[in-house]
Amino acid sequence: MGVLDGKTSLVTGASRGIGRAIALALAEAGADVALNYFTRREPAEEVAAKIHQLGRKAIVYKANVSKAGENGQMVEQVLKDFGPVQIVVNNAGITRDRSFGKMDREMWDDVINVNLTGPAMIIHRLISPMIESGWGRIVNITSIVGQMGNFGQANYAAAKGGLMALTKTLAREYARKNITVNAVAPGFVETDMTADVPDKVLDVVRNSTPMGRLGKPEEIAAAVVFLASPHASFITGEVIGVNGGMYM
Ligand SMILES: NC(=O)c1ccc[n+]([C@@H]2O[C@H](COP(=O)([O-])OP(=O)(O)OC[C@H]3O[C@@H](n4cnc5c(N)ncnc54)[C@H](OP(=O)(O)O)[C@@H]3O)[C@@H](O)[C@H]2O)c1
């Protein structure tokens, strides 16, 4: 028996990295999982195959979460295939880094649209059936950068800070509907997103992290499963930092 037996979930950006780990952890806890991906179908299918091996339902859906038409079609199909989605994890995210003076409008818009507007649109589409089902958990993956700011990441910090504000507002709006809305704010985690960060920058990160290392995707996923579980039934509007002590 898992803590999420019988629950349905949607994870965006589930083809790799943190989203992949979240999808697998939700399935291990008993949930069926709708897996969103953008460009990498094969790795997403591999995640689905692993979930099938766990005896859970999993289907992959291609959509750019920042495009209203694409995420609308995805949500419609997910609702047909799974029924009301009870657990939504907005994980898909991108960076387009540049110091603020050199950051162009496209870099700004891309990051805001994927990291902030995408989650808002997806929640907006899924909230009515979630309310009708009488139980819901929304978990938004934000970032330590939204809490602290970071050189070269004005767009990303603004998007992730906005996502935390959205989380708190929706927590207030839906608390009486038995829906909790929380965020997880990872520190620096070993994924493709940090793979290109120069070693000397990662050394600075390690040195300013009390635990002296980067996080692993599974360590972020564990916090998401906790927030989605009945153990977190009185927690809403919270941002859980999973960062090895880098920000406290
Ligand atoms: N890694 C870190 O250190 C770190 C720290 C703090 C917060 N985070 C946050 O954690 C989340 C996951 O990060 P990660 O490190 O796992 O990233 P990652 O390895 O770069 O993976 C990004 C995922 O997002 C998907 N994606 C990107 N753009 C998309 C779009 N427009 N529509 C739908 N899906 C899209 C990708 O899909 P495809 O592969 O199919 O293209 C992929 O599955 C992000 O929100 C990120 O901001 C990461």
Side-chain angles (χ1 to χ4, degrees):
M1 292 286 282
V3 285
L4 299 178
D5 274 352
K7 302 291 188 214
T8 56
S9 65
L10 167 67
V11 181
T12 66
S15 53
R16 58 200 165 103
I18 293 170
R20 177 183 189 277
I22 292 170
L24 291 172
L26 290 173
E28 274 159 18
D32 293 332
V33 193
L35 303 156
N36 159 256
Y37 71 98
F38 179 27
T39 56
R40 292 169 174 82
R41 183 173 189 101
E42 213 169 292
E45 294 279 15
E46 281 165 23
V47 180
K50 278 184 180 288
I51 293 175
H52 296 152
Q53 283 167 12
L54 295 167
R56 310 293 168 199
K57 179 170 167 174
I59 303 176
V60 305
Y61 301 87
K62 176 179 169 64
N64 179 344
V65 295
S66 70
K67 302 281 182 207
E70 288 186 35
N71 71 38
Q73 279 174 359
M74 171 179 75
V75 166
E76 206 174 298
Q77 194 56 49
V78 169
L79 291 172
K80 276 188 194 147
D81 294 340
F82 286 82
V85 175
Q86 294 161 306
I87 301 165
V88 181
V89 184
N90 282 303
N91 165 80
I94 58 165
T95 51
R96 298 280 182 272
D97 299 349
R98 191 78 54 87
S99 58
F100 187 60
K102 294 183 182 146
M103 186 175 286
D104 64 31
R105 178 63 192 258
E106 197 180 340
M107 297 167 87
W108 177 269
D109 286 345
D110 284 353
V111 168
I112 299 289
N113 289 341
V114 174
N115 294 286
L116 177 57
T117 312
M121 286 193 289
I122 287 174
I123 296 167
H124 198 261
R125 291 181 196 282
L126 286 169
I127 199 73
S128 294
M130 188 182 271
I131 291 169
E132 279 162 31
S133 85
W135 189 94
R137 296 278 190 268
I138 297 170
V139 183
N140 296 318
I141 307 303
T142 173
S143 170
I144 193 171
V145 169
Q147 299 171 306
M148 296 176 68
N150 196 25
F151 190 97
Q153 293 198 305
N155 49 1
Y156 185 74
K160 294 301 194 183
L163 190 56
M164 283 186 263
L166 177 72
T167 299
K168 291 177 189 209
T169 298
L170 299 187
R172 290 182 188 278
E173 291 197 12
Y174 297 113
R176 300 284 173 110
K177 304 290 184 193
N178 205 19
I179 293 170
T180 68
V181 190
N182 291 290
V184 171
F188 287 75
V189 181
E190 288 168 3
T191 68
D192 292 345
M193 191 174 267
T194 48
D196 294 337
V197 176
D199 276 347
K200 51 176 199 204
V201 176
L202 291 181
D203 282 342
V204 173
V205 168
R206 286 187 197 97
N207 289 337
S208 48
T209 302
M211 287 192 182
R213 64 173 176 87
L214 272 64
K216 297 185 187 315
E218 294 72 22
E219 293 174 313
I220 312 305
V224 174
V225 171
F226 168 67
L227 288 171
S229 78
H231 302 307
S233 52
F234 201 49
I235 300 176
T236 198
E238 192 55 65
V239 180
I240 298 189
V242 184
N243 58 36
M246 189 180 188
Y247 177 80
M248 57 177 88

